[in-house]
Amino acid sequence: MPPRDSYPDGAPCWADLTTPDLRAARDFYGPVLGWEFEDLGARMGGYTMCLSRGRRVAALMAPPSGAEAMPALWNVYLSASDLGAVYGRIAEAGGKPVMGPHEVPGAGRMAFAFDPAEASFGLWQPGGHAGAELFGEPGAMCWHELNTPVAEQADAFYRALFPYTQEQIGDGKDFDYTAWKVPGSDTPVCGRYRTEVAHPYWSVYLAVPDADAAAERVQELGGRLVREPFDSPHGRMVPCTDPVGARLTLCQLP
């Protein structure tokens, strides 16, 4: 696929991993996903780009000062061409603004917030950096979903931020999953899954060429399988954690 240079408003466009040990993260994700790394240096706090075939597809970063004990997690950023307007709607929709808008020199503007169930998410207004330069192919992100126990509240909150069309693709009871589309697209950009998790979160799916080989590599490198590899209509999935507990799903696309 050609490099990706834009994302519509509301689409997940970037993800970075907050982790206490950048070296250990590189030693894990490099072999599992075939990534190389680009450290942006002290001026950017050691922010480290993850590269697939020379293209920026995600990043690693250390916890912010004063929050060194925070758990490792993947942060998902939703694209927003007018970040200030979207950020201004968070509180009135029942969420909690946390940080921003903040200028990232030469790249764009970012913000962080919590939704009403306290799932954290980022917003990104592109400048020189539109987001992941590859998407939907091995070594890159291929899907994102919100895991939360409060289905209707979550759908309403994010619909107040972006003009999503949200379609129930399960039965709404035993399997409650809404696929979210943005205007001008027939293909969903992300989804919401109702599940009884103690701490709601946005999940990252990363594509691999061989799910079973990736599952073996995860375990060899100190990660943990949450579930054995399984087939779905959207590919063969490997829900897992990295060695310090950050959750992710590896996916062999159909």
Side-chain angles (χ1 to χ4, degrees), residues 184-246:
S185 175
D186 294 329
T187 304
V189 295
C190 57
R192 185 274 302 150
Y193 175 46
R194 180 175 59 79
T195 179
E196 295 303 320
V197 290
H199 303 288
Y201 67 98
W202 277 88
S203 61
V204 174
Y205 287 64
L206 298 163
V208 293
D210 185 325
D212 294 281
E216 291 182 11
R217 200 76 173 116
V218 164
Q219 296 174 93
E220 291 169 359
L221 294 167
R224 180 179 67 87
L225 299 187
V226 175
R227 179 179 172 183
E228 291 296 320
F230 67 94
D231 291 317
S232 83
H234 306 289
R236 188 160 175 79
M237 305 294 180
V238 186
C240 59
T241 70
D242 69 16
V244 294

Side-chain angles (χ1 to χ4, degrees), residues 107-241:
R109 301 173 74 216
M110 63 168 288
F112 266 99
F114 289 100
D115 70 16
E118 298 192 351
S120 63
F121 65 99
L123 297 170
W124 181 255
Q125 180 176 324
H129 175 68
E133 295 173 340
L134 299 175
F135 194 94
E137 57 185 277
M141 299 183 296
C142 58
W143 185 246
H144 303 81
E145 70 194 13
L146 173 66
N147 296 262
T148 182
V150 288
E152 293 181 1
Q153 182 187 46
D155 288 349
F157 171 77
Y158 288 96
R159 197 168 58 243
L161 303 187
F162 297 103
Y164 292 122
T165 299
Q166 297 166 326
E167 178 185 358
Q168 176 64 243
I169 62 172
D171 59 12
K173 296 179 181 178
D174 295 328
F175 179 54
D176 186 350
Y177 197 112
T178 53
W180 298 0
K181 298 178 182 178
V182 296
S185 175
D186 294 329
T187 304
V189 295
C190 57
R192 185 274 302 150
Y193 175 46
R194 180 175 59 79
T195 179
E196 295 303 320
V197 290
H199 303 288
Y201 67 98
W202 277 88
S203 61
V204 174
Y205 287 64
L206 298 163
V208 293
D210 185 325
D212 294 281
E216 291 182 11
R217 200 76 173 116
V218 164
Q219 296 174 93
E220 291 169 359
L221 294 167
R224 180 179 67 87
L225 299 187
V226 175
R227 179 179 172 183
E228 291 296 320
F230 67 94
D231 291 317
S232 83
H234 306 289
R236 188 160 175 79
M237 305 294 180
V238 186
C240 59
T241 70

